[in-house]
Amino acid sequence: MSDEIKASVSITKEQAEIEFENWKEACDIDIEGSELTDEQLNLVNSAKRRFVKAMIAGRLTVDGEKILYTISDKSPEGFANKEIVIKNPGAKLRFAMDGFKDNQQAEKEIAGMSALTGQDVGFFRKLSLPDFNLIEAVMLLFMLS
């Protein structure tokens, strides 16, 4: 696929799982089950489920390291059906989250999600929970690697 990837083609669960694994490999997300705590393993499994479900629904497409995600119609007008690109942010992810105190977990996560997408932090406060959770899940995969 090219830079003009479209998140409108749905695929089978098996194909989506292969795409997920290929994306992890392309992004050098190295998370082995034996190295993870039970909580971290649950996060990885949840992230994979969300990723695969969005691919099957045709809202998520992968091109190497890039993800094109179409915000669902569960999000408000002005956000629904907007396409965003999610990319490997590198160290920018950790630095974006570094400016917050431990009791500001939600703010840290939104800053991290902004680093992934280039969207303003206010963008994420308006998304539906399923859309928010998908982007958060991708961010957590980068954090665990």
Side-chain angles (χ1 to χ4, degrees):
M1 301 182 105
S2 69
D3 284 343
E4 300 171 5
I5 53 179
K6 294 288 180 200
S8 61
V9 178
S10 61
I11 62 175
T12 67
K13 181 179 179 185
E14 293 76 23
Q15 291 170 317
E17 289 173 347
I18 291 168
E19 286 290 320
F20 176 78
E21 294 302 326
N22 290 342
W23 171 77
K24 278 189 353 187
E25 183 70 27
C27 291
D28 200 24
I29 295 176
D30 186 19
I31 38 183
E32 296 298 323
S34 62
E35 299 173 2
L36 300 176
T37 66
D38 287 344
E39 182 180 352
Q40 290 171 327
L41 191 55
N42 286 338
L43 287 172
V44 169
N45 290 334
S46 175
K48 182 177 180 177
R49 271 192 313 276
R50 291 179 195 286
F51 193 102
V52 167
K53 183 178 178 181
M55 284 196 92
I56 292 169
R59 290 193 333 271
L60 187 148
T61 306
V62 175
D63 182 15
E65 291 185 20
K66 288 192 295 187
I67 296 170
L68 179 67
Y69 180 67
T70 303
I71 303 298
S72 74
D73 57 9
K74 292 176 175 56
S75 285
E77 188 175 328
F79 294 87
N81 301 312
K82 177 179 172 83
E83 292 181 338
I84 62 170
V85 176
I86 303 171
K87 310 187 259 191
N88 184 342
K92 181 179 176 184
L93 175 60
R94 296 204 189 267
F95 287 110
M97 298 173 76
D98 202 33
F100 297 94
K101 297 178 178 141
D102 289 339
N103 65 349
Q104 294 178 301
Q105 190 60 35
E107 297 300 321
K108 280 184 176 188
E109 289 182 6
I110 288 173
M113 292 162 62
S114 177
L116 285 176
T117 63
Q119 298 293 320
D120 183 79
V121 293
F123 176 84
F124 302 100
R125 290 184 176 95
K126 296 180 175 120
L127 294 180
S128 70
L129 203 50
D131 292 316
F132 183 94
N133 288 343
L134 180 278
I135 300 164
E136 177 188 44
V138 172
M139 180 198 65
L140 292 172
L141 289 172
F142 282 112
M143 293 297 296
L144 288 173
S145 67

